[in-house]
Amino acid sequence: WRSNDGGDTWQELTNGLPTGSDVGRIGITICESQPDVMYALYADASAGFRGVYKSTDGGDTWSGTNDNNMNSMYSTFGWYFGQVRVDPNDPNNVFAMGVPMYRTTNGGSSWFETGSDMHVDHHALEFCPNQPNRAYCGNDGGLYVSYNSGSTWNKLGDQPANQFYAVEIDPSDPARL
């Protein structure tokens, strides 16, 4: 959906995009240096991967970019992901985040798995505005940095962060968690 009046009214974008009740989570990104170029990442209603779509005219028309290499990127929990990011200085350098992370360097003509040296379950990716080749990726394994626009990644260690999955109380000593 798109609004041209600050959200007072909305128009469904259907020219080349999936529609209907089986559309799930959608992620979107717009290239800062070329704002008419944008990408949308679709999951279906059953949490599976649906595809990546590209517009070069500000969202008026869209075309699918998936070359079938990405079909298992969500495993069975696409509702948990939905992030896509385009390099603000290069509209052809795009990252789709899921269990693995996928990348295209040719505007979506082909995609390849990237970041094999990183932990899985990718949730965040940001480009450093004052250092054009630097990017940060956050996933279930922590924070990673790239100094070459996402070609290679290095883990940033010694982070004061935890991810808890469960908490238990000791039944013989309730003060012990």
Side-chain angles (χ1 to χ4, degrees):
W1 292 80
R2 174 176 60 192
S3 175
N4 292 319
D5 59 10
D8 289 336
T9 61
W10 293 86
Q11 168 198 10
E12 185 177 7
L13 302 178
T14 59
N15 194 354
L17 291 173
T19 60
S21 62
D22 63 338
V23 170
R25 185 173 180 159
I26 305 166
I28 189 164
T29 187
I30 301 169
C31 183
E32 187 177 325
S33 63
Q34 295 182 38
D36 281 343
V37 177
M38 52 185 66
Y39 295 85
L41 177 69
Y42 274 69
D44 61 30
S46 62
F49 176 71
R50 184 84 176 252
V52 178
Y53 298 83
K54 179 182 180 179
S55 175
T56 58
D57 59 11
D60 291 332
T61 60
W62 296 81
S63 59
T65 68
N66 182 18
D67 62 3
N68 296 323
N69 283 338
M70 304 168 69
N71 288 337
S72 64
M73 75 175 284
Y74 281 168
S75 184
T76 58
F77 47 103
W79 54 269
Y80 194 56
F81 298 107
Q83 299 294 318
V84 59
R85 296 290 181 264
V86 60
D87 186 325
N89 299 303
D90 182 358
N92 294 313
N93 189 30
V94 185
F95 296 83
M97 292 170 276
V99 177
M101 184 164 59
Y102 284 85
R103 180 183 185 196
T104 180
T105 56
N106 55 19
S109 295
S110 61
W111 293 85
F112 56 92
E113 193 172 327
T114 187
S116 61
D117 51 345
M118 287 194 285
H119 196 279
V120 296
D121 292 353
H122 302 277
H123 301 288
L125 192 143
E126 291 295 328
F127 293 89
C128 191
N130 57 353
Q131 295 175 319
N133 295 322
R134 186 177 294 186
Y136 294 93
C137 180
N139 57 45
D140 283 6
L143 184 63
Y144 292 76
V145 63
S146 173
Y147 298 104
N148 51 19
S149 301
S151 293
T152 59
W153 297 90
N154 299 307
K155 184 173 174 74
L156 295 175
D158 298 325
Q159 299 169 43
N162 288 307
Q163 182 176 9
F164 292 98
Y165 287 96
V167 174
E168 295 292 330
I169 298 174
D170 184 339
S172 64
D173 182 2
R176 186 166 66 191
L177 299 177

